[in-house]
Amino acid sequence: MPTIYDVAKRANVSISTVSNYVNQTAYVSPEKRKAIQEAIDELHYRPNTAARKLKLGSSQEVAVVLPNLREKLYSEIATGIHAALQAGGYKMLVYLTDDLPSRELSAIAECLDNDLGGMIVCTCRPD
């Protein structure tokens, strides 16, 4: 998944310029806007709303994407994450993918489209 850093590199501009363009917080010249938009389109970049919400402190929900809870490892991971998040005042949303990469990708996409404070992924994909 491309990041704001990838977009900046492709557009040959600074990260802050990409941020200003995406968030519309400052003037960006037409030439740079065009280069940034082309990089966004080529890379299929989507702004990380979870990172933005975490930085702004406006969301206390963190998604946890797990392959399953049948295996003891994932159950223990979920328990540990829950304890840490609860201690920090966060709520945990759990997505179970049943070890299916397509469900994992759908869960990640859904998380990115929501206003979450963060996302933790334990992938079922070996790559």
Side-chain angles (χ1 to χ4, degrees), residues 62 76-92 120:
V62 175
E76 290 176 353
I77 288 171
T79 300
I81 291 171
H82 180 261
L85 291 175
Q86 192 173 34
Y90 290 88
K91 296 177 183 177
M92 181 169 121
I120 300 169

Side-chain angles (χ1 to χ4, degrees), residues 1-64:
M1 187 169 297
T3 66
I4 193 169
Y5 304 101
D6 300 321
V7 173
K9 185 175 181 182
R10 175 74 58 99
N12 199 28
V13 298
S14 70
I15 296 163
S16 62
T17 301
V18 175
S19 178
N20 289 336
Y21 172 79
V22 170
N23 297 311
Q24 299 178 359
T25 54
Y27 175 79
V28 177
S29 72
E31 299 82 19
K32 289 182 181 179
R33 285 197 311 262
K34 182 179 181 214
I36 293 167
Q37 188 58 55
E38 287 175 358
I40 287 171
D41 294 342
E42 290 171 11
L43 295 170
H44 304 287
Y45 170 76
R46 291 175 24 183
N48 187 334
T49 56
R52 182 180 302 140
K53 294 293 180 182
L54 186 60
K55 181 178 180 180
L56 298 174
S58 59
S59 176
Q60 296 300 102
E61 296 177 326
V62 175
V64 179

Side-chain angles (χ1 to χ4, degrees), residues 67-112:
N68 64 67
L69 289 178
R70 295 179 307 276
E71 294 178 47
K72 185 177 180 183
L73 171 66
Y74 298 127
S75 178
E76 290 176 353
I77 288 171
T79 300
I81 291 171
H82 180 261
L85 291 175
Q86 192 173 34
Y90 290 88
K91 296 177 183 177
M92 181 169 121
L93 304 174
V94 178
Y95 288 80
L96 298 175
T97 66
D98 294 322
D99 297 299
L100 297 172
S102 61
R103 285 192 185 170
E104 182 177 289
L105 291 174
S106 293
I108 291 169
E110 184 176 326
C111 291
L112 291 173

